[in-house]
């Protein structure tokens, strides 16, 4: 059972606070004189935005029921995409100076298009990002697109982005990735000093906070974690699937005595695992990182590379059970789920599939997770 000792409770509070008060944070940041860019999808090359001293803020939903998106986006688009658009239509991101997307799944593209059409912003950019990332042409293609994107940002801010700026952008992003990878390394321990909920606050907050500040907080966190002990983790779980920042769900599962020790989703490892390997051609280096990163399933074809990756991670983190979650109507993840489930089970890992909506039915899910953990515990007895 995970028990976080009283004196250590506060060490993730700053990340939680950034996540909870994301709009207030961005508005205060902007008052110091910078531009804020709202972005959809983790394929957006934040390195170029940091190079231009722009704050990238990932647009996320609020997990509240809403009735404003129906005229703009079909109800059979994923709830996450509709929830994101609802935030824009309700004016919650009215401080954004610009919005952008890097081409990914069809659903989030519709969110971007509807936002672009109906919510006035000073700047908007659709970055064509290769879907066939396994093609040898993907990196050179993206490099050319990044040249055009960089030029567009320079025109917007009326200032050139130098190689020195780009190096700075890469360094700040790489440092953030390196530090979060170090925190994840600690989760491999027999008694991980971090819960899944805490890790989620850490990663999601990095998508909406100035990484200079976020990195300082991570450095301080790593020092505190070296002596932290939160006890027996119970069942070691992995969460896999669609976009997910449903903190209530993670808290509910961990309150039942299990611990998420790792994940494969875009509010977790898929966001930060790989660094840019700087070379002389910096835009090529950035392109290479986004082409070779662990892919979203919308780009993971013709070979399904995530299967090997997920199995490797499950072994490294000594995972006993996996909760596969999918945003309702999310086609890319829906197509991958049967293969992932089969592969995990072949490797002796118990699985539970759950479909998420804007709000999750926490009571109903609790019953299913309890049954799942019960079966794992019974099997452990024999
Ligand atoms: S990949 Fe799935 S969850 Fe993510 S935006 Fe697309 S449809 Fe929604």
């Amino acid at each position: 059972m995970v028990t976080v000792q009283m004196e250590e409770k506060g060490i993730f509070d700053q990340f939680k606070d950034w996540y909870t008060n994301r709009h207030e944070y961005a508005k205060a940041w902007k008052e110091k004189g910078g531009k804020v860019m709202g972005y959809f999808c983790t394929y957006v090359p934040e390195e170029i935005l940091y190079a231009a001293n722009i704050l990238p803020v990932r647009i996320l939903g609020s997990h509240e029921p809403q009735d404003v998106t129906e005229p703009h986006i079909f109800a059979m688009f994923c709830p996450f995409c509709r929830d994101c658009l609802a935030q824009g239509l309700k004016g919650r991101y009215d401080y954004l100076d610009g919005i952008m997307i890097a081409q990914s799944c069809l659903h989030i593209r519709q969110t971007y298009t509807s936002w672009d059409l109906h919510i006035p912003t000073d700047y908007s950019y659709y970055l064509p990002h290769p879907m066939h990332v396994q093609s040898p042409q993907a990196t050179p293609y993206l490099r050319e697109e990044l040249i055009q994107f960089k030029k567009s940002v320079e025109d917007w801010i009326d200032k050139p982005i130098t190689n020195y700026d780009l190096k700075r952008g890469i360094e700040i992003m790489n440092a953030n990735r390196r530090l979060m990878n170090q925190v994840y390394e600690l989760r491999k321990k027999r008694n991980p000093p971090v819960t899944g909920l805490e890790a989620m606050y850490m990663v999601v907050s990095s998508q909406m906070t100035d990484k200079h500040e976020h990195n300082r907080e991570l450095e301080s966190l790593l020092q505190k974690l070296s002596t932290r002990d939160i006890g027996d983790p119970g069942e070691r779980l992995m969460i896999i699937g669609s976009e997910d920042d449903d903190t209530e769900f993670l808290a509910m599962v961990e309150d039942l005595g299990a611990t998420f020790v790792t994940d494969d989703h875009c509010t977790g490892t898929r966001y930060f695992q790989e660094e840019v390997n700087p070379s002389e051609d910096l835009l090529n280096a950035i392109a290479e990182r986004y082409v070779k990163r662990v892919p979203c399933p919308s780009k993971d074809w013709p070979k399904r590379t995530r299967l090997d990756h997920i199995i490797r991670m499950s072994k490294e983190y000594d995972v006993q059970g996996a909760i596969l979650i999918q945003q309702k109507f999310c086609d890319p993840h829906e197509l991958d789920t049967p293969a992932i489930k089969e592969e995990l089970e072949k490797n002796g890992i118990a699985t539970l599939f759950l479909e998420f909506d804007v709000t999750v039915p926490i009571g109903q899910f609790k019953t299913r997770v309890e049954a799942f953990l019960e079966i794992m515990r019974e099997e452990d007895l024999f």
Side-chain angles (χ1 to χ4, degrees), residues 156-206:
W156 182 40
I157 61 172
D158 199 20
K159 208 174 152 221
I161 299 172
T162 64
N163 254 3
Y164 174 79
D165 295 327
L166 277 179
K167 273 189 195 144
R168 203 170 33 77
I170 291 171
E171 272 162 23
I172 190 73
M173 289 296 294
N174 275 355
N176 194 247
R177 292 167 177 141
R178 202 170 307 135
L179 291 163
M180 290 202 285
N181 272 315
Q182 284 172 23
V183 174
Y184 266 55
E185 266 309 298
L186 299 172
R187 303 176 76 191
K188 293 178 180 170
K189 286 177 151 183
R190 193 185 175 90
N191 285 355
V194 180
T195 67
L197 179 63
E198 290 169 335
M200 179 173 276
Y201 281 131
M202 176 186 79
V203 181
V204 184
S205 66
S206 81

Coordinates of all heavy atoms in Angstrom, one line a residue, residues 156-206:
W156 N 6.7 36.8 -37.7 CA 5.7 37.1 -36.7 C 6.4 38.0 -35.5 O 5.8 39.0 -35.1 CB 5.1 35.8 -36.1 CG 4.0 36.1 -35.1 CD1 3.0 37.0 -35.1 CD2 3.8 35.3 -33.9 NE1 2.2 36.9 -34.0 CE2 2.7 35.8 -33.3 CE3 4.4 34.2 -33.4 CZ2 2.1 35.3 -32.1 CZ3 3.9 33.6 -32.2 CH2 2.8 34.2 -31.6
I157 N 7.5 37.5 -35.1 CA 8.1 38.3 -33.9 C 9.0 39.4 -34.4 O 9.6 40.2 -33.6 CB 8.9 37.3 -33.0 CG1 10.1 36.6 -33.7 CG2 8.0 36.3 -32.3 CD1 11.0 35.9 -32.8
D158 N 9.2 39.5 -35.7 CA 10.0 40.5 -36.4 C 11.4 40.5 -35.8 O 12.0 41.5 -35.5 CB 9.3 41.9 -36.1 CG 9.9 42.9 -37.1 OD1 10.4 42.5 -38.1 OD2 9.7 44.1 -36.7
K159 N 12.0 39.3 -35.8 CA 13.4 39.1 -35.3 C 13.9 37.8 -35.8 O 13.2 36.8 -35.8 CB 13.3 39.0 -33.7 CG 14.5 39.5 -33.0 CD 14.2 39.5 -31.5 CE 15.5 39.3 -30.8 NZ 15.5 38.5 -29.7
P160 N 15.2 37.8 -36.2 CA 15.7 36.5 -36.7 C 16.0 35.5 -35.5 O 16.3 35.9 -34.4 CB 17.1 36.9 -37.3 CG 17.4 38.2 -36.8 CD 16.2 38.9 -36.3
I161 N 15.8 34.2 -35.8 CA 16.2 33.2 -34.9 C 17.6 32.7 -35.3 O 17.7 32.1 -36.4 CB 15.1 32.1 -34.8 CG1 13.8 32.6 -34.4 CG2 15.6 30.9 -33.9 CD1 12.6 31.6 -34.6
T162 N 18.6 32.9 -34.5 CA 19.9 32.6 -34.9 C 20.2 31.1 -34.5 O 19.5 30.5 -33.7 CB 20.9 33.5 -34.1 OG1 20.8 33.2 -32.7 CG2 20.7 34.9 -34.4
N163 N 21.4 30.6 -34.9 CA 21.8 29.3 -34.5 C 22.0 29.2 -33.0 O 21.8 28.2 -32.4 CB 23.1 28.9 -35.2 CG 22.9 27.9 -36.3 OD1 21.7 27.6 -36.6 ND2 23.9 27.5 -37.0
Y164 N 22.5 30.3 -32.5 CA 22.7 30.4 -31.0 C 21.4 30.2 -30.3 O 21.3 29.5 -29.3 CB 23.4 31.8 -30.7 CG 23.5 32.0 -29.2 CD1 24.5 31.4 -28.4 CD2 22.5 32.8 -28.5 CE1 24.6 31.6 -27.1 CE2 22.6 33.0 -27.2 CZ 23.6 32.4 -26.4 OH 23.7 32.6 -25.1
D165 N 20.3 30.9 -30.8 CA 19.0 30.8 -30.2 C 18.5 29.3 -30.3 O 17.9 28.8 -29.4 CB 18.0 31.7 -31.0 CG 18.3 33.2 -30.8 OD1 18.8 33.5 -29.8 OD2 18.0 33.9 -31.8
L166 N 18.7 28.7 -31.5 CA 18.3 27.3 -31.7 C 19.0 26.4 -30.7 O 18.3 25.5 -30.1 CB 18.5 26.9 -33.1 CG 17.5 27.2 -34.2 CD1 18.0 26.7 -35.5 CD2 16.1 26.7 -33.8
K167 N 20.3 26.6 -30.5 CA 21.0 25.8 -29.5 C 20.4 25.9 -28.2 O 20.3 25.0 -27.4 CB 22.5 26.2 -29.5 CG 23.3 25.5 -30.6 CD 24.8 25.8 -30.4 CE 25.5 25.4 -31.6 NZ 26.7 26.2 -32.0
R168 N 20.1 27.2 -27.8 CA 19.5 27.5 -26.5 C 18.1 26.7 -26.4 O 17.8 26.1 -25.4 CB 19.3 29.0 -26.4 CG 19.2 29.6 -25.1 CD 19.2 31.1 -25.1 NE 18.6 31.8 -26.2 CZ 17.3 31.9 -26.4 NH1 16.5 31.5 -25.6 NH2 16.9 32.6 -27.5
G169 N 17.4 26.8 -27.4 CA 16.1 26.1 -27.5 C 16.2 24.6 -27.3 O 15.5 24.0 -26.5
I170 N 17.2 24.0 -28.0 CA 17.5 22.6 -27.8 C 17.9 22.2 -26.4 O 17.5 21.3 -25.8 CB 18.5 22.1 -28.9 CG1 17.9 22.2 -30.3 CG2 19.0 20.7 -28.6 CD1 18.9 22.0 -31.4
E171 N 18.8 23.1 -25.9 CA 19.4 22.8 -24.6 C 18.3 22.8 -23.5 O 18.2 21.9 -22.6 CB 20.5 23.8 -24.2 CG 21.8 23.3 -24.7 CD 22.8 24.5 -24.7 OE1 22.6 25.5 -24.0 OE2 23.8 24.4 -25.5
I172 N 17.4 23.8 -23.6 CA 16.4 23.8 -22.5 C 15.4 22.6 -22.6 O 15.0 22.0 -21.6 CB 15.6 25.2 -22.5 CG1 14.7 25.4 -21.3 CG2 14.8 25.4 -23.8 CD1 15.5 25.6 -20.1
M173 N 15.1 22.3 -23.8 CA 14.2 21.1 -24.0 C 14.9 19.8 -23.6 O 14.3 19.0 -22.9 CB 13.8 21.0 -25.5 CG 12.8 22.1 -25.9 SD 11.2 22.0 -25.1 CE 10.6 20.4 -25.7
N174 N 16.2 19.7 -24.0 CA 16.9 18.4 -23.6 C 17.1 18.3 -22.1 O 17.0 17.2 -21.6 CB 18.3 18.4 -24.3 CG 18.2 17.9 -25.8 OD1 17.1 17.4 -26.2 ND2 19.3 17.9 -26.5
A175 N 17.4 19.4 -21.5 CA 17.6 19.4 -20.0 C 16.3 18.9 -19.4 O 16.3 18.1 -18.4 CB 18.0 20.7 -19.5
N176 N 15.1 19.4 -19.8 CA 13.9 19.0 -19.2 C 13.6 17.5 -19.4 O 13.2 16.8 -18.5 CB 12.7 19.8 -19.9 CG 11.4 19.8 -19.2 OD1 10.5 19.2 -19.7 ND2 11.4 20.3 -18.0
R177 N 13.9 17.0 -20.6 CA 13.8 15.6 -20.9 C 14.7 14.8 -20.0 O 14.3 13.8 -19.5 CB 14.1 15.3 -22.4 CG 13.1 15.9 -23.3 CD 13.6 15.9 -24.7 NE 12.6 16.5 -25.7 CZ 12.8 17.3 -26.7 NH1 14.1 17.6 -27.0 NH2 11.9 17.7 -27.5
R178 N 15.9 15.2 -19.9 CA 16.9 14.4 -19.2 C 16.5 14.3 -17.7 O 16.5 13.3 -17.1 CB 18.3 15.2 -19.3 CG 19.5 14.3 -19.0 CD 20.8 15.0 -19.4 NE 20.7 15.5 -20.7 CZ 21.1 16.8 -21.1 NH1 21.6 17.6 -20.2 NH2 21.0 17.1 -22.4
L179 N 16.0 15.4 -17.1 CA 15.7 15.5 -15.7 C 14.4 14.6 -15.5 O 14.4 13.8 -14.5 CB 15.4 16.9 -15.3 CG 16.7 17.8 -15.2 CD1 16.3 19.3 -15.1 CD2 17.5 17.4 -14.0
M180 N 13.5 14.6 -16.4 CA 12.3 13.8 -16.2 C 12.6 12.3 -16.4 O 12.1 11.5 -15.7 CB 11.1 14.3 -17.1 CG 10.6 15.6 -16.7 SD 8.9 15.9 -17.3 CE 9.2 16.3 -19.0
N181 N 13.5 12.0 -17.3 CA 14.0 10.7 -17.5 C 14.7 10.2 -16.2 O 14.5 9.0 -15.8 CB 15.0 10.5 -18.6 CG 14.2 10.3 -20.0 OD1 13.3 9.4 -20.0 ND2 14.6 11.0 -21.0
Q182 N 15.4 11.1 -15.5 CA 16.0 10.7 -14.3 C 15.0 10.3 -13.2 O 15.2 9.4 -12.4 CB 17.0 11.8 -13.8 CG 18.3 11.9 -14.5 CD 19.1 13.1 -14.2 OE1 19.0 13.7 -13.1 NE2 19.9 13.5 -15.1
V183 N 13.9 11.1 -13.2 CA 12.9 10.8 -12.2 C 12.2 9.5 -12.5 O 12.0 8.6 -11.7 CB 11.8 12.0 -12.2 CG1 10.6 11.6 -11.3 CG2 12.4 13.3 -11.7
Y184 N 12.0 9.2 -13.8 CA 11.4 7.9 -14.2 C 12.3 6.8 -13.9 O 11.9 5.7 -13.5 CB 11.1 8.0 -15.7 CG 9.6 8.4 -16.0 CD1 9.1 9.6 -15.5 CD2 8.7 7.6 -16.7 CE1 7.8 10.0 -15.7 CE2 7.4 7.9 -16.9 CZ 7.0 9.2 -16.4 OH 5.7 9.5 -16.7
E185 N 13.6 7.0 -14.0 CA 14.6 5.9 -13.6 C 14.3 5.4 -12.2 O 14.4 4.2 -11.9 CB 16.0 6.4 -13.7 CG 16.8 6.2 -15.0 CD 16.8 4.8 -15.5 OE1 17.3 3.9 -14.8 OE2 16.2 4.6 -16.6
L186 N 14.0 6.4 -11.3 CA 13.8 6.0 -9.9 C 12.5 5.2 -9.7 O 12.4 4.4 -8.8 CB 13.7 7.3 -9.1 CG 14.9 8.2 -9.0 CD1 14.6 9.5 -8.3 CD2 16.1 7.5 -8.3
R187 N 11.7 5.2 -10.7 CA 10.4 4.5 -10.6 C 10.7 3.0 -10.9 O 9.8 2.2 -10.7 CB 9.4 5.0 -11.6 CG 9.1 6.5 -11.3 CD 8.1 7.1 -12.3 NE 6.7 6.7 -12.1 CZ 5.7 6.9 -12.9 NH1 6.0 7.4 -14.1 NH2 4.5 6.5 -12.6
K188 N 11.9 2.6 -11.3 CA 12.2 1.2 -11.6 C 12.5 0.5 -10.3 O 12.6 -0.7 -10.2 CB 13.4 1.1 -12.5 CG 13.1 1.6 -13.9 CD 14.3 1.5 -14.8 CE 14.0 2.0 -16.2 NZ 15.2 2.1 -17.0
K189 N 12.8 1.3 -9.2 CA 13.2 0.7 -7.9 C 12.1 -0.2 -7.4 O 10.9 0.0 -7.7 CB 13.4 1.8 -6.9 CG 14.7 2.6 -7.1 CD 14.7 3.7 -6.1 CE 16.1 4.1 -5.6 NZ 16.0 5.0 -4.6
R190 N 12.5 -1.1 -6.5 CA 11.6 -2.0 -5.9 C 10.5 -1.2 -5.1 O 9.3 -1.5 -5.2 CB 12.3 -2.9 -4.9 CG 11.6 -4.0 -4.3 CD 12.4 -4.7 -3.3 NE 11.7 -5.8 -2.6 CZ 11.7 -7.0 -3.1 NH1 12.4 -7.3 -4.1 NH2 11.0 -7.9 -2.5
N191 N 10.9 -0.1 -4.4 CA 9.9 0.8 -3.8 C 10.1 2.1 -4.5 O 10.9 3.0 -4.1 CB 10.2 1.0 -2.3 CG 9.7 -0.2 -1.5 OD1 9.1 -1.2 -2.1 ND2 10.0 -0.2 -0.2
P192 N 9.3 2.4 -5.6 CA 9.5 3.7 -6.3 C 9.2 4.9 -5.4 O 8.2 4.8 -4.7 CB 8.6 3.6 -7.5 CG 8.0 2.2 -7.5 CD 8.2 1.6 -6.1
P193 N 10.0 5.9 -5.4 CA 9.7 7.1 -4.5 C 8.7 8.0 -5.1 O 8.6 9.2 -4.7 CB 11.1 7.7 -4.4 CG 11.8 7.4 -5.6 CD 11.3 6.1 -6.1
V194 N 8.0 7.6 -6.2 CA 7.1 8.5 -6.9 C 5.8 7.8 -7.2 O 5.9 6.6 -7.7 CB 7.7 9.0 -8.3 CG1 6.8 9.9 -9.0 CG2 9.1 9.6 -8.0
T195 N 4.7 8.4 -7.0 CA 3.4 7.7 -7.5 C 3.1 8.1 -8.9 O 3.7 9.0 -9.5 CB 2.2 8.1 -6.6 OG1 2.0 9.5 -6.8 CG2 2.5 7.9 -5.1
G196 N 2.2 7.3 -9.5 CA 1.8 7.6 -10.9 C 1.2 9.0 -11.0 O 1.4 9.8 -12.0
L197 N 0.4 9.3 -10.0 CA -0.3 10.6 -10.0 C 0.7 11.8 -9.9 O 0.6 12.8 -10.7 CB -1.2 10.7 -8.8 CG -2.0 12.0 -8.6 CD1 -2.9 12.3 -9.8 CD2 -2.8 12.1 -7.3
E198 N 1.7 11.6 -9.1 CA 2.8 12.6 -9.0 C 3.5 12.8 -10.3 O 3.8 13.9 -10.8 CB 3.7 12.3 -7.9 CG 3.1 12.4 -6.5 CD 4.0 11.8 -5.4 OE1 4.8 10.9 -5.6 OE2 3.8 12.2 -4.2
A199 N 3.8 11.6 -10.9 CA 4.6 11.7 -12.2 C 3.7 12.4 -13.3 O 4.2 13.1 -14.1 CB 4.9 10.3 -12.7
M200 N 2.4 12.2 -13.2 CA 1.5 12.8 -14.2 C 1.6 14.3 -14.0 O 1.7 15.1 -15.0 CB 0.1 12.3 -14.1 CG -0.8 13.0 -15.1 SD -2.4 12.2 -15.2 CE -2.2 10.9 -16.3
Y201 N 1.5 14.8 -12.8 CA 1.5 16.2 -12.5 C 2.9 16.8 -13.0 O 2.9 17.9 -13.6 CB 1.4 16.5 -11.0 CG 0.0 16.5 -10.5 CD1 -0.3 15.8 -9.3 CD2 -1.0 17.2 -11.1 CE1 -1.7 15.7 -8.9 CE2 -2.4 17.1 -10.7 CZ -2.6 16.4 -9.5 OH -3.9 16.4 -9.0
M202 N 3.9 16.0 -12.8 CA 5.2 16.5 -13.3 C 5.3 16.7 -14.8 O 5.7 17.7 -15.3 CB 6.3 15.5 -12.8 CG 7.7 15.8 -13.3 SD 8.9 14.5 -12.8 CE 8.6 13.3 -14.1
V203 N 4.9 15.6 -15.5 CA 5.0 15.7 -17.0 C 4.0 16.7 -17.6 O 4.4 17.5 -18.4 CB 4.8 14.3 -17.6 CG1 5.0 14.4 -19.1 CG2 5.8 13.3 -17.0
V204 N 2.8 16.6 -17.2 CA 1.8 17.5 -17.8 C 2.1 19.0 -17.5 O 2.0 19.8 -18.4 CB 0.3 17.2 -17.3 CG1 -0.7 18.0 -18.1 CG2 0.0 15.7 -17.6
S205 N 2.6 19.2 -16.3 CA 2.9 20.7 -16.0 C 4.1 21.1 -16.9 O 4.1 22.3 -17.2 CB 3.2 20.8 -14.5 OG 4.4 20.2 -14.2
S206 N 4.9 20.2 -17.3 CA 6.1 20.7 -18.2 C 5.6 21.1 -19.5 O 6.3 21.8 -20.3 CB 7.1 19.6 -18.3 OG 6.8 18.6 -19.2

